[in-house]
Amino acid sequence: MQNKKCREELFLLLCLAAAGVCAVLAFRFAVPLQAQTPQTLPDTKELAAYTQVELNTADADALCTLPGVGPHNAQAILDYRAQHGPFAQVEDAAQVPGITQAMVDSWAGQAYVR
């Protein structure tokens, strides 16, 4: 009986020692948390300048990336393109109902025609 109790105590001590070793190793190899500066998101208006849209092949979602073009104007461009064929130059988009020359001018560098 004494021998069994002694073995149980030894087993518990070994378990505690193993748990202690695991805890020490976990803290030893853990990556320390570093203070991070808050990440700011980029200004999407500036990113839009790098998005180029080909007016003769763009879908409604791509057309909506152009300044001043929402879903209604995008659909008007698609309808105009289907009825009159491809645009010869970007400035021709001003012929689309609802699209002004000022809007087309604001597309400089973003819209193009092949």
Side-chain angles (χ1 to χ4, degrees):
M1 181 94 158
Q2 184 81 357
N3 194 14
K4 183 177 179 182
K5 185 174 181 173
C6 194
R7 276 195 246 163
E8 287 177 357
E9 288 177 359
L10 182 61
F11 177 76
L12 288 174
L13 285 174
L14 288 175
C15 288
L16 286 173
V21 169
C22 289
V24 168
L25 289 175
F27 283 109
R28 169 80 168 95
F29 293 109
V31 178
L33 294 177
Q34 297 175 356
Q36 295 180 356
T37 58
Q39 186 177 12
T40 58
L41 296 175
D43 183 11
T44 57
K45 291 179 183 175
E46 290 181 20
L47 291 177
Y50 298 103
T51 305
Q52 293 192 339
V53 177
E54 207 287 316
L55 292 180
N56 290 325
T57 59
D59 62 2
D61 289 335
L63 291 169
C64 285
T65 64
L66 295 171
V69 179
H72 180 73
N73 285 340
Q75 189 58 50
I77 293 171
L78 293 175
D79 293 343
Y80 185 91
R81 197 170 68 193
Q83 187 176 14
H84 296 92
F87 297 105
Q89 56 189 4
V90 174
E91 290 74 22
D92 293 343
Q95 303 297 321
V96 176
I99 305 295
T100 64
Q101 185 61 46
M103 287 171 65
V104 174
D105 292 342
S106 72
W107 301 347
Q110 293 179 330
Y112 69 98
V113 172
R114 287 187 205 186

